[in-house]
Amino acid sequence: MPSPPISGGAAADRIADALGPPNVIVERANVTSVVVRRFIGRKLLTELSANPDGSLVQPGQVAEVCRREDLAELVAADTPLGPKQAAARIGVRRADFDWMLRLKWIHPAESIEVRFGTSRAGAVDVALYTTQAVDALAARTDIDWEQPRSVKKGQRSPLALLRPAPAAAPS
């Protein structure tokens, strides 16, 4: 290898720099190591570490990814959203998004452990959804989006009346 590997965080920083500043001056684009892991999953980058807690990637591959014309779209598609962020992106309450999960309209891409304080006793798993999956859900035309978007706080979700589609029978 012509140069030593770099961490997933360093790769994320280089990708953010390649994207340039977002609409707000002096702020960098929001790229995290989660996006780098998704790029590894897409085979855009090669994982060089056996450590499950961190990634190492080849800087030449990162530079190659940074030159892609579709880099902004790739990053946007792989940016993780928590359930509250996903609900806001769709324009529904979090409770309605929870019903969409029960209806199996969307599935988490991964989950992360979030710790509160220094104790593992305060740790919870948070499901993450890709922006691409959330946008695909929002683009569905078979859903009457006006119903869940018009429900006020404290009212029952109209999605509560729906039942998930039955699982396909094994063949």
Side-chain angles (χ1 to χ4, degrees), residues 86-104:
R89 189 170 181 93
I90 295 172
V92 299
R93 301 175 306 169
R94 167 67 194 274
D96 296 303
F97 185 77
D98 289 343
W99 279 106
M100 293 175 196
L101 290 170
R102 289 182 194 105
L103 292 166
K104 300 182 182 354

Side-chain angles (χ1 to χ4, degrees), residues 2-171:
S3 55
I6 60 173
S7 70
D13 289 344
R14 289 183 185 188
I15 293 168
D17 288 342
L19 289 171
N23 296 336
V24 180
I25 299 174
V26 248
E27 280 190 29
R28 289 175 22 151
N30 186 20
V31 179
T32 65
S33 56
V34 172
V35 171
V36 172
R37 285 197 310 271
R38 307 296 279 150
F39 281 14
I40 290 168
R42 285 180 179 227
K43 307 283 191 238
L44 296 172
L45 297 172
T46 302
E47 175 65 74
L48 301 175
S49 171
N51 180 354
D53 293 331
S55 295
L56 290 175
V57 294
Q58 205 272 333
Q61 282 185 331
V62 175
E64 198 175 299
V65 164
C66 288
R67 288 191 293 272
R68 289 182 62 128
E69 293 208 11
D70 62 345
L71 180 61
E73 291 82 16
L74 286 171
V75 169
D78 284 333
T79 299
L81 300 174
K84 185 176 180 180
Q85 295 166 312
R89 189 170 181 93
I90 295 172
V92 299
R93 301 175 306 169
R94 167 67 194 274
D96 296 303
F97 185 77
D98 289 343
W99 279 106
M100 293 175 196
L101 290 170
R102 289 182 194 105
L103 292 166
K104 300 182 182 354
W105 290 356
I106 189 167
H107 303 281
E110 64 182 297
S111 67
I112 59 169
E113 182 180 77
V114 177
R115 294 183 184 173
F116 299 96
T118 58
S119 168
R120 284 194 49 84
V124 295
D125 286 333
V126 175
L128 297 177
Y129 308 86
T130 62
T131 304
Q132 184 178 32
V134 173
D135 289 348
L137 173 60
R140 286 183 52 178
T141 57
D142 61 322
I143 298 170
D144 179 6
W145 288 107
E146 279 307 308
Q147 285 188 349
R149 288 179 178 150
S150 65
V151 178
K152 304 288 183 237
K153 184 176 180 177
Q155 292 180 321
R156 184 170 184 187
S157 173
L159 302 176
L161 302 173
L162 303 176
R163 296 289 170 247
S171 47

